[in-house]
Amino acid sequence: MTTLTIRPFADRDLAACGALLADAHRASVRREPAVPERFVEDGRGEAAVRHALLDTDADGAVAERGGRIVGFLGGTRSLTPPESFGAQYAPPRGASMPVAGHAVAEDESAIEVYRLLYAALAERWAADGLFTHHVSMRPADTAVRDAWFLLGFGARTVFAVRDTSPPREATAERAPGIEVHAATAEEIDVVRHLDELESLHHRDSPIFWPHLGRDVAAAVEAFQRAALEGDRNPIFVATRDGEPVAMHFLLVEGGFGNRLSTPDGAVYLYQAIVEPEARGGGVGTALLRHTLDWARTNGHDHITLHYGSANPSGAPFWERQGFVPVEMTLERVLDERIAWAKGR
């Protein structure tokens, strides 16, 4: 077999890389019907690669064997201000490789190709102090998942989708005394309180996501006020005997799902939190029923969300309620001592 060679991505590679991505997407649809099919159409793979790899902050590489492109990998650098809204979800310095940013030919070894492609990009990122790396992939693609596992990556978040039909009867028992309403601008303190509870939940073991508190408070409140004062992104609050116990924050516009994984017209469930003492009593299911009814009534056939793969209460709840994982984001954090411990 001829040698595998790696070189930088160039504009002339778009067609070949787009074809590889389209082939990978077709395989994903075969493995998991919940993955949207539209990107298997001619030309759509190339457009997705263009968007992922031709960003001004993107780095890309291709793998060739005998003059044929058999794999590609691209990632975008991110520098996130510590007081910004995005700081809740992204490290100060990092690089992210999206679903549309990589693919390997089916007749090639995923680990062999990805190992060399990642080595080429990671060397640049580490040299520039970008030590947190993310890659998104399809959970059902076990060969790709295993390749990234061998490269030191572990699961961080799951992106899942379900249709907006009501919850299954077996899990749809109504919690007594629960009422749900759309929050108004006057309820900003309620929204802030429930948001804080979610952040504290994610801070705890075994999730261990940082709670940034005052650092991002102004940006978070501005985001919440914009939703409360607008009419596009509703926030539903569930109360028991008049006291708020749970919240769903929906994004009809500006959701965080990848286009390659999001059905057309889907609504995004940005936040879902239940007061700790109210968990296990059907509150979450009652609120989900309300959210699904609203989405269906307003013309949304699907709803999507992210959850932490390590979340001990959230992950099993969403899976039990019929959400199907269609994308997973993996993370690797380099030992920062590599910046100076070079043996020179």
Side-chain angles (χ1 to χ4, degrees):
M1 181 177 289
T2 57
T3 302
L4 192 66
T5 60
I6 307 297
R7 63 168 174 81
F9 174 85
D11 289 2
R12 67 180 184 276
D13 302 323
L14 273 172
C17 293
L20 282 177
L21 181 64
D23 288 344
H25 194 80
R26 290 187 187 94
S28 296
V29 173
R30 290 196 299 270
R31 296 186 188 99
E32 181 46 72
V35 174
E37 294 187 20
R38 61 181 178 276
F39 285 94
V40 302
E41 301 170 6
D42 290 342
R44 299 296 290 274
E46 183 175 336
V49 174
R50 179 187 299 275
H51 180 73
L53 269 69
L54 293 184
D55 184 281
T56 55
D57 294 321
D59 297 284
V62 297
E64 290 183 315
R65 193 186 297 279
R68 169 194 170 216
I69 292 178
V70 296
F72 73 95
L73 178 64
T76 302
R77 299 166 179 238
S78 61
L79 303 177
T80 307
E83 73 283 357
S84 68
F85 182 83
Q88 302 172 94
Y89 311 110
R93 300 176 64 85
S96 297
M97 298 163 280
V99 166
H102 62 93
V104 172
E106 289 186 317
D107 59 350
E108 290 282 338
S109 162
I111 180 56
E112 180 185 4
V113 177
Y114 278 129
R115 184 185 285 127
L116 294 179
L117 285 169
Y118 176 63
L121 298 191
E123 182 177 29
R124 304 179 207 169
W125 295 333
D128 290 340
L130 305 175
F131 296 140
T132 302
H133 304 164
H134 293 113
V135 62
S136 296
M137 51 150 292
R138 304 292 183 200
D141 194 338
T142 55
V144 172
R145 184 191 63 201
D146 291 349
W148 288 106
F149 169 77
L150 292 173
L151 286 166
F153 285 75
R156 178 175 171 84
T157 61
V158 174
F159 182 69
V161 61
R162 101 187 281 286
D163 61 38
T164 52
S165 61
R168 295 188 298 273
E169 289 303 317
T171 62
E173 65 278 2
R174 293 184 180 276
I178 293 296
E179 296 184 357
V180 181
H181 69 276
T184 65
E186 288 70 33
E187 294 177 276
I188 182 64
D189 289 341
V190 171
V191 173
R192 292 290 296 122
H193 168 69
L194 291 168
D195 170 87
E196 175 77 357
L197 289 182
E198 183 188 52
S199 185
L200 291 172
H201 173 68
H202 288 153
R203 173 205 65 186
D204 291 343
S205 181
I207 307 173
F208 292 123
W209 291 352
H211 176 268
L212 299 180
R214 294 179 183 176
D215 290 354
V216 299
V220 170
E221 184 169 333
F223 185 75
Q224 294 164 340
R225 286 189 182 277
L228 291 170
E229 294 169 3
D231 58 2
R232 291 291 290 161
N233 295 324
I235 300 176
F236 297 124
V237 173
T239 61
R240 173 181 282 158
D241 300 326
E243 293 296 320
V245 293
M247 178 178 77
H248 276 185
F249 189 160
L250 290 174
L251 297 180
V252 178
E253 296 177 338
F256 297 107
N258 189 319
R259 278 282 295 160
L260 212 61
S261 305
T262 303
D264 288 329
V267 63
Y268 181 75
L269 181 51
Y270 165 60
Q271 278 185 310
I273 184 66
V274 177
E275 288 265 9
E277 62 272 16
R279 292 173 191 158
V283 174
T285 302
L287 184 53
L288 178 61
R289 176 187 287 276
H290 178 92
T291 294
L292 292 172
D293 288 346
W294 180 91
R296 192 169 59 254
T297 300
N298 283 272
H300 302 286
D301 294 330
H302 293 88
I303 185 169
T304 61
L305 54 75
H306 282 93
Y307 60 83
S309 57
N311 192 328
S313 57
F317 176 80
W318 299 120
E319 293 163 5
R320 191 166 60 246
Q321 294 294 344
F323 282 85
V324 179
V326 293
E327 185 176 318
M328 180 179 290
T329 296
L330 313 180
E331 179 179 78
R332 181 185 184 189
V333 180
L334 306 187
D335 188 327
E336 293 186 357
R337 292 174 297 180
I338 195 63
W340 55 266
K342 297 178 180 291
R344 296 174 183 166

